[in-house]
């Protein structure tokens, strides 16, 4: 799926037949199996993301493929291995591709294909934010908004596996009870709407669990300010998205009297910073694959779409309140 200019995805993305390039000595020929449509993919096509691929570009930053053939200098991969992108910008919305070996990470092929296809962005983001900003122990709690997003669902499950409680904020919607039930089934401890954040009932939650030391923000605007009030003094709020397209507003008193910390996180930057530190990357992937094998981390709710129906998938991925991730099946 190729785009030659930036604009609305359904208008600029086209399905094209291309020749598969020749295999160089350090290259790997990959047959793609499945690739999701993430918000960052949409923003890259629109031209609004901080990282843009040179045009013409193939869409998609995430997915899983099977190695068909390797160049004679390739040592770490062989035919039959499963691989995911080592970094953003690979262009995963295609049936086949030839990539340099260092652009791919091997993943075990004994995990479900949809888990592998959605592994490199959201679960990694969730894992790093839970690990890198506060040293959380079993019994501690975390509060997050956009709890039904791909990252939100991963946070619930990874936290649950570590004995950390989650308070999950979602927008009010017609099918709210159904969403609450789904998040509780994943292991959420509490699910509240944005409106509930400022109600006295919130105090009841903190009778049974401590106030959170960590808040994860993917929305911005009012939702963020409301979450801050529930943070412990000296707690940290990490912003990793801005779905409301509004700034993060912080009352001066939260800084002075409660000394809260505001940080940001971008998985792409983390990968750049750790490009030479393969041990950290391997340890994270290993931990996530272990959770998947134990059934403690599942793929987000997915809708599988054949490649030729890509336009419908692109449009569906941009609708509000859709809790299902569109996955192109290749």
């Amino acid at each position: 799926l190729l785009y030659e200019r930036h604009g609305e995805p359904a208008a600029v993305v086209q399905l094209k037949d291309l020749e598969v390039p020749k295999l160089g000595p350090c290259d790997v020929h990959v047959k793609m199996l499945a690739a999701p449509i993430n918000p960052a993919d949409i923003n890259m096509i629109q031209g609004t993301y901080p990282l843009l691929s040179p045009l013409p570009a193939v869409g998609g930053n995430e997915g899983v493929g099977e190695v068909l053939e390797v160049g004679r200098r390739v040592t770490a991969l062989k035919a039959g291995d499963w691989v995911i992108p080592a970094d953003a910008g690979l262009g995963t919305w295609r049936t086949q591709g030839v990539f340099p070996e260092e652009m791919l990470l091997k993943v075990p092929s004994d995990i479900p294909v949809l888990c592998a296809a959605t592994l490199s962005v959201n679960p990694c983001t969730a894992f790093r934010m839970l690990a890198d900003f506060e040293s959380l122990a079993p019994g501690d709690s975390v509060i997050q908004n956009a709890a039904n997003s791909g990252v939100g669902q991963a946070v619930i499950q990874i936290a649950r596996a570590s004995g950390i409680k989650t308070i999950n904020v979602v927008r009010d919607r017609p099918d709210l009870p159904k969403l609450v039930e789904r998040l509780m089934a994943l292991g959420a401890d509490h699910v509240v709407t944005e409106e509930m954040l400022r109600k006295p009932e919130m105090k009841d939650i903190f009778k049974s669990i401590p106030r959170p030391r960590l808040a994860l923000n993917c929305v911005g605007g009012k939702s963020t300010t409301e979450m801050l009030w529930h943070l412990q003094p000296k707690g940290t709020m990490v912003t990793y998205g801005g779905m409301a397209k509004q700034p993060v507003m912080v009352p001066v008193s939260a800084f002075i009297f409660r000394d809260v910390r505001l940080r940001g996180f971008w998985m792409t930057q983390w990968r750049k910073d750790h490009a030479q530190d393969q041990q950290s990357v391997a340890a994270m992937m290993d931990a996530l694959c272990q959770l998947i094998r134990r059934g403690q981390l599942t793929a987000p709710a997915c809708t599988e779409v054949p490649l030729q129906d890509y336009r419908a998938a692109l449009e569906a991925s941009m609708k509000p309140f859709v809790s299902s991730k569109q996955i192109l099946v290749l």
Side-chain angles (χ1 to χ4, degrees), residues 256-325:
I256 299 173
F257 302 118
R258 294 182 35 244
D259 190 17
V260 297
R261 276 179 293 216
L262 297 194
R263 300 285 305 272
F265 183 77
W266 188 30
M267 194 63 218
T268 302
Q269 188 61 48
W270 187 92
R271 287 192 197 284
K272 275 199 186 76
D273 296 346
H274 293 78
Q276 301 312 310
D277 175 12
Q278 281 314 302
Q279 215 174 340
S280 289
V281 178
M284 168 174 68
M285 294 321 250
D286 196 43
L288 291 170
C289 289
Q290 292 283 12
L291 289 174
I292 291 169
R293 282 197 198 95
R294 287 192 215 120
Q296 292 176 306
L297 178 62
T298 56
C302 292
T303 305
E304 297 179 52
V305 184
L307 187 62
Q308 57 271 26
D309 298 342
Y310 72 93
R311 275 210 173 86
L314 285 169
E315 277 161 13
S317 71
M318 294 169 73
K319 286 199 179 93
F321 298 125
V322 173
S323 293
S324 186
K325 194 176 276 297

Side-chain angles (χ1 to χ4, degrees), residues 74-93:
V74 174
T75 53
L77 295 169
K78 59 183 189 312
D81 284 347
W82 277 16
V83 289
I84 62 172
D87 213 340
L90 191 70
T92 53
W93 300 350

Side-chain angles (χ1 to χ4, degrees), residues 178-198:
K178 215 160 87 188
L179 176 62
V180 171
E181 194 182 316
R182 205 158 59 84
L183 296 181
M184 296 299 265
L186 286 179
D189 294 283
H190 299 277
V191 181
V192 298
T193 61
E194 290 185 344
E195 293 68 35
M196 259 185 75
L197 276 178
R198 62 193 82 113

Side-chain angles (χ1 to χ4, degrees), residues 2 16 31 40-41 47 112 128 133 164 181 221 224 232-233 269 274 278 307:
L2 205 67
K16 286 210 165 152
K31 170 186 184 289
D41 304 330
R128 294 267 54 108
F133 294 93
I164 294 160
E181 194 182 316
T224 312
Q232 273 188 37
Q269 188 61 48
H274 293 78
Q278 281 314 302
L307 187 62

Side-chain angles (χ1 to χ4, degrees), residues 27-45:
D27 289 342
V28 181
H29 183 189
V30 177
K31 170 186 184 289
M32 291 304 296
L33 302 173
I37 299 176
N38 290 317
D41 304 330
I42 299 291
N43 297 149
M44 281 173 83
I45 297 165

Side-chain angles (χ1 to χ4, degrees), residues 97-152:
V98 170
F99 308 107
E101 179 184 16
E102 70 270 12
M103 289 176 75
L104 303 168
L105 278 180
K106 184 178 167 177
V107 291
S109 54
D110 64 347
I111 59 174
V113 71
L114 293 182
C115 287
T118 54
L119 182 60
S120 63
V121 177
N122 295 333
C124 290
T125 300
F127 185 90
R128 294 267 54 108
M129 292 194 302
L130 287 170
D132 294 354
F133 294 93
E134 287 283 345
S135 45
L136 299 171
D140 284 344
S141 78
V142 171
I143 188 168
Q144 63 165 347
N145 55 23
N148 58 312
S149 66
V151 171

